[in-house]
Structures are given as C-alpha cells and as structure tokens.
Amino acid sequence: MQYICPSCNTNAYSITSLKKHFRKSHLSKCEICNYVSKNVVHHYRRLALQGDEKHLVLWYLSTNLKDSEIKVELKKRAVYLLRRNYIAEEVVIS
Ligand SMILES: [Zn+2]
Ligand SMILES: [Zn+2]
C-alpha cells in the first residue's frame, strides 16, 4: 500500500516514510495555499485547528510530536483522511 504526498504527489511506502519526505520537502511552503514561511507548521496547525481537513493532514505529516502534544482525536482523524484520500492505486501491469 502506497501513500501519496498531499503536496506533491510523491509516493511513499508507509506513513513513516511519507512523514520523512514531507518534513524534508514541505516545511517552508504550503502547496495548498502557496503560503511561504520559515516554518509553515504553524500555518498548518492554525488551519487544522480551525477544522480544515487538508491542513490537518499536512499538520500531522509535518509534526514529529509525541501523542500528548497533538490531540488523539485529531491524530486519528488525520490518519483516517490520509488512508481515505491519499492511497495510491495499485498499478496493474498487463
Ligand atoms: Zn511531497
Ligand atoms: Zn495552507
């Protein structure tokens, strides 16, 4: 099962590697709203807490926080959205 980066469509084999990719590539610009900052995590966080689901996924991917620091329900929601919206289709080679 492969995950797709919500910001650039790069494929990753697990949430862990997707997070690694995301933190390497998307911490200075939000690709959804073209918001540029030295640290866009605050931007992801702010919109996530306002209920924006796309940014919730981005926030989840951008943080390496302990469970206690991101609310468990928000984390579950982010993982759910990731699994629902950002799974790569299996490529069938015939
Ligand atoms: Zn990406
Ligand atoms: Zn944004």
Side-chain angles (χ1 to χ4, degrees):
M1 185 149 74
Q2 288 198 47
Y3 294 89
I4 305 167
C5 175
S7 287
C8 69
N9 296 329
T10 293
N11 284 19
Y13 287 99
S14 65
I15 290 185
T16 309
S17 59
L18 183 57
K19 280 185 144 195
K20 260 184 214 156
H21 155 78
F22 195 88
R23 286 203 296 271
K24 212 172 64 183
S25 316
H26 304 300
L27 293 191
S28 55
K29 184 184 174 195
C30 173
E31 298 293 338
I32 291 176
C33 29
N34 288 324
Y35 177 86
V36 179
S37 163
K38 252 186 252 172
N39 186 352
V40 286
V41 177
H42 297 295
H43 164 79
Y44 295 150
R45 179 177 183 275
R46 190 166 50 84
L47 288 163
L49 292 178
Q50 283 171 12
D52 186 296
E53 297 196 325
K54 276 192 174 168
H55 285 81
L56 175 60
V57 174
L58 300 186
W59 183 37
Y60 172 68
L61 292 175
S62 67
T63 56
N64 197 17
L65 300 175
K66 291 188 218 104
D67 285 358
S68 58
E69 292 175 86
I70 172 168
K71 281 189 186 144
V72 176
E73 294 111 80
L74 280 179
K75 195 179 155 183
K76 274 191 198 152
R77 182 90 189 130
V79 173
Y80 167 77
L81 290 166
L82 204 54
R83 297 217 162 111
R84 198 188 61 183
N85 299 331
Y86 301 109
I87 298 279
E89 299 287 333
E90 292 290 331
V91 179
V92 180
I93 300 162
S94 56

